[in-house]
Amino acid sequence: MTLNVPSTDAGVADVMAILVLLTEFAMLRAPLLRSQVRLYAFQSLVVTGLAIFVATSRHIDELYVLALLTFVLKVVIVPGLVMRLLPDADVDLAESSILGVASMVLVAIAVAAFAFFAVGSLHVHSVALPTSALAIAAAVVLVAFVLIILRADVVSQAIGFFSLENGVSVASLVVAAGLPLVVEVAFLFDLLVAVVVFGVIMRVHHGRANSLSTEDLDRLKG
Amino acid sequence: MPALLVVIIVLPLAVAVITFFSPVRLAKVITVISGVVTFGLALTLIPEVVTHAQLREGSLLRIDSLSMVFLVATSFLYATTAIFAAGYLHLGQGKAGTRYGRRFYAGLNLFCWSMAAAPLVNGLALLWVAIEITTVVSALLVAIDDTDGATEASWKYVLIASLGLGIALFATIIMYYAGTTVFGSAYNLSYGKLLSGASHFSPDVVRLAFVLAVLGYGTKMGLFPVHTWLPDAHSEAPTPISALLSGSLLAISFYAILRYFQIAVRTIGPTFPRNTLLIFGIASLLLAALYLLSQRDLKRLLAYSSVEHMGILAIGMSFGAPVAVVGVLLHVLAHAAAKGTAFFGAGSVVRKFGTKDLGRIRGGIGALPWSGPMLVAAVLALSAMPPFGIFRSEFLIVSGGLSDSRDTVAAALVVLVTVAFFGLSWSTTQIMLSPDVSALPAGSAGSHPLSKGEVSPWIVVSMVIGLVALAILGVHLPSQLSQLLDHAARELGVPKR
Amino acid sequence: MGPSGIPPEGVQALQVLTIVAGAPLVSGVIAHVEGRLQGRRGPRILQPYYDLAKLFCKETVVPEQSSWVFMIGPVVAFGCYLIVPMLIPVLTTYGLPLGYMGDILGGGFILALAGFSVSLAGTETGAPYAQMGGSRAMTFGALIEPTILFVVFVVALITSTDLPYALSATVRSSASEIVRPGHVLVAIAFFLVVLVDTGRIPVETHSGTLEFGMIDEARTLEHSGSPLALLKWGAAMKQLILYTILINVFVAPWGLAASGSLGHVVLAIPALLGKAMLLGLVFAVIDNLFSKLRLFKITEFIAAAFLLAVLAVLVFYAGGG
């Protein structure tokens, strides 16, 4: 293992990426609908910051536009939409955990470690951001899976998917900073559509079951 | 002629908008027209594609032999499903019925538009966008019936499929990264570019991208172990949507995997991609064959049959012999026709008997003089009975496997397909041919004899079209089509260095 | 070493003395600030000194069933707290005589021994609350142990040693050392460890007697007189030692004496105490902002600290530490 001291730039970028990952961990135990949505908004904000950081340090002007769109969409519109579609903001989701919080964190740590080792074995080199950020992004994706699997409520599961997309965004900042803007915009637009659909189905579910739990979604088998 | 691509991509979208605002009666008619026209346009494109290898319109639209196959499959199902839906849909009177009809038709057209767009767009990124749109639209269509089952199925579907697509997005990003070593940091992900540079990509990175793509798009394709949404969504969706999901959507996801396959074989050689597909294929086929034996729900039965056929596609690609690849592509077409027809028949049965429970349906042939026998025929076609298309395609796949000296796999394929055949045909023949109505528990739908007669002539028409197409594919392939399949198989092959 | 220099042995003695004499002061400041934050006037800043003096004057009551362990525990603990300051950069940037006799792990062991002897002394009485406190303290001590180990790993990864002086020097060396994620994570993880080990909110309320939620404090319920004074003093010293490690090793190792000259060393004392009081302020604010976790939720808190420390190692592995 070589231990070069990363540059200040790389250090700041990595700290931001880690913040994204830590937010993902925080989602594992968020007790309220509102706190879950806020965590997502915060995570998106950090992703926005990371985009601006790459734009400044690598002089990629398109990323400013992307950062702006990310901010408007993921920090403002998506959380707003979710809150609007599910007005019961104080719903208690804490009981939806299948495991205790500490065990969940341990599982997620194991999964994140796997992501780190997997990416570490790839020898990826990036000009835009340190490679470790890619490992962190992969960890975000996998922890999002843990979140979705271990939380049995529709909000956590939906937010899990949205935050998974945040993880992929971080990855794209690392290895695909030059991705054409039109493609990025298409991705974001798709996310918006997905959010609306998630919201509609969540609302339908809430209307039918009068709860946000997925406990009773076990009728279809075989 | 490239302008036709624009027509194909604009027409269903425009129709979707119109149907949302027009009266339902009109929506029925223009949806049928749009479906038939789209299919016709796709057919007229075949000779063009065969002669020119690829057509491009602007930088966004492109079609080659490979995508042509999938466009034909999708547009065929668009047309037949539009016809079927015209007979299947029984709308309640008043506002609720109108609203349902509008939503249904707008959704149907939008769904078909997104599935037609997927093979037409040029590049992995746009492909992902198109497939993501298919997910969200079809999730709403699965939920449209607003029952407990439909809500549950649509939630599982949208969540699992979206996660799969999240992985697929990751694969897209990784593939983009693979290209940056050749094309610099800013380029677009168009196929031509990727294929031309693929041999210089980093093997490790491409391997990762390929595995992620198989896992991600495989989720939507219904490969084991990420198939879990599939039976629920197929059984709870309105039957026309089930047909589209099964015949077309799964195929489109397979198409996405093939695009990655195409790049991967150029970078890392054929062994790794083929083995990956083999593992997923065998597992899917095995699972589906076992579930088919013990299935109690007519539509779930057909859904697991889809898992089975997707497994066959994956195995077929793993053989690598050109004849097997031709078989795979033919299988895509034949499966679309057969599974569409089978679902149409199932829809007819469900409408007639008011239940999907296999234990409560008896004497189908007696009650449904046309669609009953045709459902049996479609199921036999799905089980690879001659003279239908699937027999030919599976024959090609197996012979490709034997010629590639993958005897064990080919034998396993034949055995598992036979098991699936038993499961599928046993259940179907029982509900269709057994006249023993008295054996059923009292009070069930079949216990009092139903009046003889079809639900709607439209359903019969759609099934006839499907069976005719299946027979054409099985008995005598049109020369243009067989050329198209050959070209497509060549595009998927390993280029000589 | 200048003409007015203090011999290294003297500086070392001064390090220990600073901790011994300064610890009650820091505790007093924190208690005062806390009072102010809660809208009270708060105790006098020097109150801990008065308390200690008062306790030393009082008679000592020993439970009948207890043995010599009960009496020796506080003394052992106090002795341990006298040794640890020699190993860590309290006043100087460089190691002093005996300063290299133990690394971070060694210091950790000595602190653990102190905690163990206090717990043992409490348990020995057979009194239910003291026993409960002792067993809880041991349990949470064991749970936080992996985190501390990972913190040590990261220190070792950064400096290739496990000497507190080396990390302190590395952090001072450049700005990129401060923002490197491994360092940030491990500093926060250690901050959480300090919260647990000093028995602060959200783990434990440190003031008042709330027997059911007590951990560390419950262990001393049976003691009185001068042993209690030693325990209280020891607790204050432990707190200042942990603060010193957090400050002078991880977060802000500035203001330390680079040589043995009188001026430098004398300036380093108020610098340390000032920084410790600032840190104490942070803890006081945390005290006010959060409520105590239920006992069974403390594992979540510890899991969070563990997560940070593990992430630090992982990021290192990925080459971004």
Side-chain angles (χ1 to χ4, degrees):
Chain A
M1 203 187 308
T2 53
L3 289 175
N4 305 322
V5 179
S7 66
T8 312
D9 262 16
V12 172
D14 266 341
V15 167
M16 289 169 94
I18 285 175
L19 216 49
V20 175
L21 180 55
L22 286 178
T23 324
E24 194 68 50
F25 271 95
M27 288 175 186
L28 288 175
R29 71 164 298 254
L32 298 179
L33 192 165
R34 194 175 11 183
S35 50
Q36 197 70 284
V37 174
R38 276 189 190 154
L39 278 172
Y40 172 70
F42 173 76
Q43 189 184 46
S44 309
L45 190 65
V46 181
V47 174
T48 309
L50 204 55
I52 294 175
F53 180 82
V54 178
T56 334
S57 60
R58 305 288 159 223
H59 309 290
I60 306 173
D61 290 340
E62 286 185 345
L63 284 182
Y64 286 114
V65 184
L66 181 69
L68 180 70
L69 284 173
T70 308
F71 180 81
V72 171
L73 197 65
K74 294 197 208 164
V75 182
V76 180
I77 295 182
V78 170
L81 263 178
V82 174
M83 294 300 274
R84 175 161 295 239
L85 285 167
L86 297 167
D88 237 353
D90 276 328
V91 178
D92 189 6
L93 308 174
E95 297 305 311
S96 75
S97 307
I98 292 168
L99 289 177
V101 172
S103 326
M104 265 203 288
V105 170
L106 289 182
V107 170
I109 286 177
V111 164
F114 171 76
F116 273 85
F117 292 127
V119 174
S121 65
L122 274 181
H123 311 294
V124 174
H125 299 286
S126 157
V127 284
L129 279 177
T131 315
S132 43
L134 182 65
I136 297 168
V140 171
V141 170
L142 291 188
V143 175
F145 272 99
V146 175
L147 171 67
I148 291 164
I149 292 168
L150 295 182
R151 290 293 293 267
D153 67 272
V154 287
V155 178
S156 297
Q157 292 181 348
I159 294 284
F161 167 64
F162 304 154
S163 62
L164 180 145
E165 199 273 344
N166 266 344
V168 178
S169 297
V170 175
S172 82
L173 284 175
V174 181
V175 295
L179 203 64
L181 188 63
V182 56
V183 172
E184 297 270 16
V185 171
F187 287 163
L188 281 179
F189 172 74
D190 252 13
L191 175 75
L192 183 64
V193 177
V195 168
V196 172
V197 171
F198 266 95
V200 168
I201 297 176
M202 270 174 355
R203 198 187 169 97
V204 169
H205 171 70
H206 191 226
R208 295 199 73 85
N210 208 13
S211 91
L212 293 174
S213 163
T214 55
E215 294 276 303
D216 50 346
L217 293 187
D218 58 357
R219 287 176 296 260
L220 302 177
K221 284 189 191 120
Chain B
M1 280 311 256
L4 274 185
L5 300 183
V6 182
V7 178
I8 293 179
I9 212 157
V10 169
L11 181 66
L13 186 61
V15 170
V17 175
I18 296 169
T19 47
F20 191 70
F21 295 105
S22 69
V24 176
R25 203 177 283 273
L26 181 63
K28 269 184 193 181
V29 178
I30 55 175
T31 304
V32 172
I33 293 173
S34 164
V36 172
V37 169
T38 309
F39 181 52
L41 291 178
L43 287 183
T44 56
L45 271 175
I46 293 179
E48 291 291 317
V49 172
V50 168
T51 37
H52 295 102
Q54 60 162 295
L55 302 174
R56 292 173 60 172
E57 174 69 37
S59 62
L60 297 181
L61 298 183
R62 173 186 185 273
I63 193 161
D64 57 15
S65 307
L66 180 58
S67 39
M68 193 66 229
V69 174
F70 290 86
L71 181 65
V72 169
T74 298
S75 56
F76 174 77
L77 268 181
Y78 183 21
T80 48
T81 305
I83 297 170
F84 169 71
Y88 176 82
L89 225 54
H90 276 283
L91 295 175
Q93 295 300 310
K95 253 192 167 152
T98 317
R99 212 173 58 194
Y100 182 93
R102 280 182 178 166
R103 286 179 178 175
F104 177 83
Y105 273 108
L108 178 74
N109 285 302
L110 207 55
F111 187 29
C112 291
W113 166 74
S114 59
M115 287 193 296
L120 285 177
V121 293
N122 184 12
L124 294 179
L126 292 175
L127 175 65
W128 183 88
V129 169
I131 293 186
E132 170 74 26
I133 295 177
T134 65
T135 307
V136 292
V137 177
S138 54
L140 287 180
L141 284 169
V142 171
I144 199 171
D145 275 352
D146 199 19
T147 60
D148 282 345
T151 312
E152 178 180 342
S154 68
W155 178 254
K156 285 181 181 167
Y157 171 45
V158 75
L159 188 69
I160 297 173
S162 297
L163 288 179
L165 287 177
I167 300 178
L169 179 60
F170 207 30
T172 314
I173 301 283
I174 300 288
M175 193 55 106
Y176 181 87
Y177 169 70
T180 53
T181 50
V182 179
F183 304 118
S185 71
Y187 72 104
N188 63 16
L189 277 162
S190 65
Y191 299 130
K193 200 149 198 174
L194 284 172
L195 290 176
S196 70
S199 53
H200 303 293
F201 292 174
S202 151
D204 274 347
V205 177
V206 171
R207 202 170 287 145
L208 176 69
F210 180 72
V211 171
L212 288 176
V214 171
L215 203 58
Y217 289 120
T219 308
K220 284 212 73 179
M221 184 184 162
L223 291 180
F224 178 84
V226 279
H227 68 283
T228 45
W229 61 272
L230 192 148
D232 297 349
H234 282 63
S235 66
E236 297 302 321
T239 307
I241 306 305
S242 311
L244 284 173
L245 282 174
S246 180
S248 180
L249 180 77
L250 307 187
I252 291 295
S253 312
F254 180 57
Y255 165 75
I257 293 178
L258 287 184
R259 282 295 178 193
Y260 279 85
F261 183 86
Q262 215 179 356
I263 297 165
V265 290
R266 280 167 168 72
T267 309
I268 53 180
T271 315
F272 179 78
R274 281 179 191 164
N275 287 344
T276 309
L277 286 177
L278 179 65
I279 294 166
F280 279 100
I282 288 281
S284 310
L285 186 52
L286 181 64
L287 169 111
L290 296 179
Y291 268 90
L292 279 172
L293 287 177
S294 59
Q295 196 45 250
R296 304 302 314 148
D297 178 309
L298 179 56
K299 283 172 82 177
R300 290 181 88 85
L301 187 77
L302 295 176
Y304 276 107
S305 157
S306 297
V307 177
E308 175 212 343
H309 285 281
M310 292 304 123
I312 294 174
L313 289 179
I315 295 172
M317 278 316 290
S318 78
F319 286 152
V323 62
V325 178
V326 171
V328 165
L329 295 170
L330 179 63
H331 198 83
V332 168
L333 293 174
H335 177 250
K339 191 49 68 64
T341 312
F343 265 114
F344 299 157
S348 179
V349 170
V350 171
R351 271 270 174 271
K352 189 79 180 175
F353 289 85
T355 176
K356 294 182 290 186
D357 187 346
L358 292 171
R360 295 168 57 179
I361 307 170
R362 285 293 179 273
I365 294 237
L368 297 163
W370 288 90
S371 56
M374 282 197 289
L375 173 59
V376 175
V379 167
L380 289 178
L382 278 175
S383 316
M385 282 288 145
F388 295 114
I390 289 186
F391 168 71
R392 178 192 280 242
S393 63
E394 287 188 11
F395 182 78
L396 289 175
I397 292 173
V398 171
S399 59
L402 293 175
S403 75
D404 210 26
S405 64
R406 309 282 290 263
D407 302 1
T408 330
V409 180
L413 178 66
V414 172
V415 170
L416 290 175
V417 167
T418 313
V419 173
F421 161 72
F422 275 120
L424 198 58
S425 49
W426 173 254
S427 304
T428 324
T429 45
Q430 212 175 13
I431 62 168
M432 282 302 163
L433 301 177
S434 121
D436 193 9
V437 176
S438 58
L440 289 172
S444 62
S447 59
H448 51 88
L450 287 164
S451 58
K452 190 170 173 170
E454 284 297 327
V455 176
S456 157
W458 289 103
I459 295 180
V460 179
V461 172
S462 65
M463 293 183 75
V464 169
I465 297 173
L467 284 180
V468 169
L470 266 175
I472 292 175
L473 291 176
V475 176
H476 178 71
L477 268 185
S479 66
Q480 293 283 0
L481 195 58
S482 95
Q483 274 182 38
L484 181 77
L485 294 177
D486 285 341
H487 284 214
R490 210 172 304 143
E491 282 172 15
L492 277 174
V494 188
K496 292 189 180 65
R497 303 224 172 157
Chain C
M1 207 168 294
S4 61
I6 310 172
E9 292 79 10
V11 182
Q12 183 65 292
L14 211 54
Q15 289 213 110
V16 179
L17 209 62
T18 308
I19 296 291
V20 173
L25 177 67
V26 173
S27 298
V29 170
I30 296 174
H32 183 76
V33 171
E34 253 174 32
R36 282 297 169 88
L37 284 174
Q38 290 162 4
R40 300 183 277 121
R41 275 173 62 196
R44 278 176 301 177
I45 287 175
L46 296 181
Q47 188 63 41
Y49 293 103
Y50 296 114
D51 286 347
L52 289 178
K54 180 185 74 185
L55 284 171
F56 275 118
C57 296
K58 285 208 168 180
E59 62 170 341
T60 303
V61 182
V62 179
E64 262 179 28
Q65 286 83 8
S66 66
S67 67
W68 54 275
V69 176
F70 179 77
M71 290 303 290
I72 204 102
V75 182
V76 171
F78 196 81
C80 291
Y81 296 135
L82 288 178
I83 297 173
V84 178
M86 298 185 196
L87 309 176
I88 58 174
V90 179
L91 299 178
T92 60
T93 58
Y94 55 93
L96 294 161
L98 299 177
Y100 291 124
M101 68 181 170
D103 51 12
I104 290 190
L105 285 177
F109 285 149
I110 298 173
L111 286 178
L113 175 64
F116 173 71
S117 56
V118 175
S119 291
L120 200 61
T123 317
E124 215 271 335
T125 60
Y129 285 123
Q131 271 191 336
M132 190 180 70
S135 71
R136 281 181 183 172
M138 287 293 101
T139 308
F140 292 120
L143 287 178
I144 199 80
E145 205 73 5
T147 310
I148 298 176
L149 272 180
F150 271 89
V151 169
V152 176
F153 286 163
V154 174
V155 172
L157 283 170
I158 294 178
T159 63
S160 311
T161 72
D162 53 358
L163 293 172
Y165 284 104
L167 182 64
S168 178
T170 312
V171 173
R172 265 194 310 276
S173 65
S174 86
S176 52
E177 289 287 351
I178 300 167
V179 294
R180 66 192 290 185
H183 175 256
V184 173
L185 284 170
V186 97
I188 301 173
F190 194 75
F191 180 84
L192 298 182
V193 170
V194 172
L195 268 181
V196 174
D197 268 355
T198 53
R200 308 288 302 200
I201 295 271
V203 176
E204 184 186 2
T205 38
H206 58 282
S207 53
T209 43
L210 182 73
E211 284 91 349
F212 284 117
M214 284 167 99
I215 304 170
D216 287 5
E217 302 272 321
R219 299 180 294 182
T220 61
L221 283 174
E222 297 298 308
H223 286 87
S224 59
S226 24
L228 180 58
L230 280 182
L231 285 173
K232 287 211 177 274
W233 203 349
M237 282 164 65
K238 176 186 175 190
Q239 171 174 303
L240 184 55
I241 288 169
L242 290 171
Y243 284 12
T244 307
I245 298 176
L246 180 60
I247 294 167
N248 280 352
V249 177
F250 289 98
V251 181
W254 292 279
L256 290 168
S259 73
S261 78
L262 187 63
H264 283 168
V265 174
V266 168
L267 268 181
I269 297 175
L272 170 73
L273 293 180
K275 285 187 286 185
M277 285 170 197
L278 277 181
L279 184 62
L281 199 70
V282 173
F283 281 106
V285 170
I286 290 177
D287 240 71
N288 256 330
L289 289 182
F290 297 92
S291 53
K292 189 185 126 31
L293 288 169
R294 278 190 299 142
L295 200 64
F296 297 107
K297 293 274 177 191
I298 294 177
T299 49
E300 293 179 16
F301 184 81
I302 292 175
F306 182 63
L307 165 68
L308 294 170
V310 173
L311 275 187
V313 175
L314 287 177
V315 172
F316 256 103
Y317 172 81

